[in-house]
Amino acid sequence: LCKHNVAIVIADSPGTWPYSEDLTADFAYLRMHGKNKLYDDGYTDVALGAIAPRLKLWASGAEPADAKRVGSAAPSRPRDIYCYFDNDAKAHSPLDAMRLMARLGLERNIPLDPP
C-alpha cells in the first residue's frame, strides 16, 4: 500500500470492521460510522474530543503515541486528512462534521441556507 500511495480506511464503527490507524499514503482517509450503533449514532463531545488531536497529529506528519497499528510506523510527513461521517440514519453526519471542524478550528465554507 505504501509503495503505491494507497490509504487504508480508518473506519470508526461499533466493532463492525477491524480498526487500524496505519498511515500508508500521503493522506489519511477516515469513515466515521457511529460509535455505538452503526450508521445511526451521533458522536459525543468526548468522542470528537478524542479524534480531533489524532487528526491534527496525522496532518502535521506525526502520529499518536498510542496509534493502533498493524504494521510499522509510517514515515513522518504532513498529510491531507479526509474524514467522512457516515452516521446518517438520523441526520447526525452534518452536525457531527461541523462540531469536529469547530474543534479543529476549521471554518465551514458552505452556507447552511442556500441563497
Side-chain angles (χ1 to χ4, degrees), residues 21-88:
E21 296 176 340
D22 290 84
L23 301 176
T24 57
D26 59 3
F27 63 97
Y29 180 71
L30 292 88
R31 300 285 297 194
M32 310 296 283
H33 295 292
K35 206 65 170 160
N36 300 306
K37 190 173 180 190
L38 190 63
Y39 305 122
D40 196 29
D41 187 29
Y43 282 85
T44 65
D45 286 334
V46 170
L48 293 175
I51 192 67
R54 297 179 108 69
L55 297 178
K56 285 181 181 180
L57 284 170
W58 292 330
S60 74
E63 63 180 319
D66 66 344
K68 297 161 182 74
R69 285 187 263 100
V70 175
S72 58
S76 178
R77 62 182 180 221
R79 289 179 167 77
D80 291 329
I81 307 295
Y82 300 94
C83 181
Y84 294 91
F85 284 86
D86 191 19
N87 56 332
D88 56 355

Side-chain angles (χ1 to χ4, degrees), residues 92-108:
H92 293 291
S93 298
L95 296 176
D96 287 345
M98 287 187 290
R99 289 172 46 231
L100 179 59
M101 289 174 68
R103 283 188 168 273
L104 294 168
L106 301 172
E107 292 194 30
R108 175 179 49 82

